[in-house]
Amino acid sequence: MKKLLSLLFALTMILALVACGNTEANQSQGESDLSYVQGNGKLIIGYTDYAPMNYTDESGTFTGFDTELATLICEKLGLEPQFVEINWDTKEVELNAKSIDCIWNGLTIDPERKETMEITKPYVKNAQVVLMKEDAIYNGTASLIGKTVAAEQGSAGEDTIKADDNLKQASYVPKTLQTECLMELKSGTSDAAVLDLTLANTMTGEGTSYADIIIVDYLGEENYGVAFRKGSDICAEVNKIFDQLVADGTMATLAEKYGLDLAE
Amino acid sequence: MAILEVKDIEKHFGTLKVLQKIDFSLEKGEAIAIIGSSGSGKTTLLRCLNFLERPDKGSIIVNNKVIFDAMDPATQRESEVRKKRLHFGLVFQSFNLFPQYTVLKNVTLAAELLAKERPNFKQEKKAILKEIQDRGKMLLSQVGLSDKLDYYPHMISGGQQQRVAIARALALEPDILCFDEPTSALDPELTGEVLKVIRNLAERNTTMIIVTHEMDFARDVADRVIFMDDGVIVEQGSPQEVFGNPKEERTKQFLTRYKKD
Amino acid sequence: MNQIPVIVGRLSESFLLNCKLFALTLLFSLPLGLLIAFGSMSRFRPLRWLVRTFVWIIRGTPLMLQLIIIFFGPGLLDMPFSWPSGASGRFVAATVAFIINYACYFSEIYRGGIESIPAGQFEAGQVLGMTKRQIFFNVTLLQVVKRILPPVGNEVITLVKDTSLARIIANKEIIMMAGEYSSKGLIWPLFATGIYFLVFVGALTLLLDWLENKLSYFRT
């Protein structure tokens, strides 16, 4: 009897946590997200190691398109940028638990994500691409039925696989990082991977450690945005600054530096 | 004057009555043997005297002072009980030596801890500890173990361990030394050495209560014998009376069983 | 190939996180476990029930889950308390989760050890006029230590490996660091982490053996 009671007690606690996790992100307590981060004096930016958006170069400097952009925008907002490395598959939990204030790491905008987070307007163009070894045979997504396809857990690539009628019938391998999918391809444990175009451009092909991996297909264009907690007012501020930076050409210069295309 | 008076002791565990109407007294220098079959309550009685069990009724009087009265909660406070235990020494059936200490340290440990409570301990620490050490060595030589002072319990035989236990019990100079079937856990060849030590103590007029199955020994060494059965004292008297001319039927039955072995 | 010193440097630095977590966890969970053990042996029934239920919950759920609940819980439940931001906050949260978890495991080992000491030892102390405290420190303690050394040693060795679970809440310990390289095609750092763990556990094993040896002069 006692064991049963304590089991129920424990379950209730866990359910309460889960329920809060799902219905959280209502700033309806009145406090503005912007005044919250201004009160802290800093913006905590969640990222994963992902070239060309956030990465450490050979000289050991932490850099990347998103890194530079975020630093620039924080300056304009009068906030100290604090970059915190997180696990991609718990990014929403991190955001809602306020251990980070935004996800700024090549986040693909999609309707589902817009429901749970406040996302800025698009700033960089992206596409989900299918990658395979250069000697592999590819005839559209149908040729991958029954084969193994890798993607990063919680990523747009994963969503693409689940949404595509053919890829749905492939054997899906979830990985913690996009870059780990490249490893799978190289070692042959996966036949194909669905990743971001921006990453594929930087990390595969001539001159990289994945010289024999090529892009075989483009599965739809998409855009990157920066995600904040649902209802956050920081979003609007960042959008304004995006417009400024596009107008004065800063965005374009930065994009060229990293070989990216700006969103329309 | 009786050094120990036990009046009307009763003890039950739940609904089971283990001791009833236990009445006896002990003179200084006297040795009493308690005999009876298993389950007769002999061990429980001994444990009551050493405050390992609390009687539900009755009183225990030592040197004319009431040290326990079931009616009086003041006599049952833990802080008081600890000091009262020192009137009695107990030698267990399974020795219960402290395995992590040498033979000598087993004997001196309790005395050293008690000495710390003396008001003059800090000033005369060295002298006090030496005194305790010397006494320990003396007691161990009395039981014939002078050559084993630095041995650990697991290195010596059962009989030797029990002899150490006796020395340990004597170290605190108890008024009454109790033995709970001291040789029952020993191999037959080893009982002799322990009985010899107990006999020795009896000859020096040590006040003792010995619960035992060794009938011949009880007959030889005890000044008085108490026969218990089913939680009551059935008969008590001198060894000649109880062994030679038992009055009660139960006593006779018990003795015939033992005589057969 | 000139990458090797850099990588080894980063691996070693991140292993320091594992080591710090290990040390802090042991430092606090070993004594906390004793407190919990006493609680679970208390004569006061409500306390005993409360403590035993708590221990059951902590030992009955994965440490990984506890890490997530402890780190994300305060923020998700809008508690007035929040972990400091950045890497230090995550480390503190991980340490707290580990301490609570391991204290519960140790408490059960302690309780088993204490309860396994024959009552006769305690009674012998009693009839010799020792107080409960004196009996615990002079009679029981060393016997308990000798008995629990093997299972405690086991838990300590498990802890060394468990420290890498801290990466669940994004603490950059050695395996997460090695993951950064393995995902880019460089596999050897991941296998190299094994060497760090092996050496650490090897040293611990020597220490534990030495301790066991020191206590072998008597038998309980």
Side-chain angles (χ1 to χ4, degrees), chain A residues 8 11 90 96 162 171 202 209:
Chain A
L8 285 172
L11 275 175
T90 48
N96 288 331
K162 293 192 176 152
S171 176
T202 323
S209 351

Side-chain angles (χ1 to χ4, degrees), chain C residues 2 21 25 44 67 69 80 86 88 113 115 141 147 175 216 220:
Chain C
N2 62 344
L21 183 55
T25 302
F44 185 46
L67 278 163
I69 291 177
S88 56
E115 286 178 358
L141 188 59
R147 283 195 191 192
I175 295 206
S216 63
T220 71

Side-chain angles (χ1 to χ4, degrees), chain B residues 14-76:
Chain B
T15 51
L16 183 67
K17 282 209 167 145
V18 180
L19 291 174
Q20 284 181 78
K21 286 210 182 65
I22 302 294
D23 261 303
F24 71 93
S25 63
L26 180 62
E27 301 292 324
K28 190 167 155 99
E30 218 187 345
I32 286 188
I34 303 183
I35 61 173
S37 41
S38 314
S40 55
K42 332 191 280 294
T43 298
T44 313
L45 174 58
L46 222 58
R47 288 168 67 87
C48 282
L49 294 177
N50 281 274
F51 291 93
L52 292 176
E53 307 281 358
R54 297 280 163 88
D56 297 307
K57 246 175 102 180
S59 54
I60 301 171
I61 302 158
V62 172
N63 280 327
N64 260 346
K65 254 188 19 207
V66 178
I67 63 167
F68 176 82
D69 188 344
M71 296 290 181
D72 186 2
T75 60
Q76 301 175 40

Side-chain angles (χ1 to χ4, degrees), chain A residues 137-155:
Chain A
I137 300 172
Y138 182 75
N139 281 314
T141 56
S143 65
L144 288 176
I145 296 178
K147 298 250 168 94
T148 34
V149 182
E152 186 185 78
Q153 234 174 328
S155 70

Side-chain angles (χ1 to χ4, degrees), chain C residues 131-159:
Chain C
T131 62
K132 280 201 182 143
R133 213 159 164 267
Q134 285 173 332
I135 296 176
F136 182 74
F137 284 106
N138 293 285
V139 176
T140 324
L141 188 59
L142 201 60
Q143 294 186 49
V144 171
V145 169
K146 184 180 161 83
R147 283 195 191 192
I148 65 173
L149 200 56
V152 167
N154 242 16
E155 287 298 318
V156 170
I157 289 177
T158 302
L159 175 59

Side-chain angles (χ1 to χ4, degrees), chain C residues 148-205:
Chain C
I148 65 173
L149 200 56
V152 167
N154 242 16
E155 287 298 318
V156 170
I157 289 177
T158 302
L159 175 59
V160 177
K161 277 94 51 82
D162 265 359
T163 55
S164 65
L165 278 175
R167 75 186 191 280
I168 293 304
I169 49 175
N171 277 288
K172 199 127 193 196
E173 50 78 52
I174 196 175
I175 295 206
M176 188 167 168
M177 179 66 80
E180 206 186 279
Y181 292 101
S182 68
S183 59
K184 291 174 189 163
L186 207 55
I187 317 173
W188 70 261
L190 192 57
F191 290 117
T193 65
I195 297 176
Y196 285 84
F197 285 109
L198 263 174
V199 170
F200 199 104
V201 172
L204 269 179
T205 308

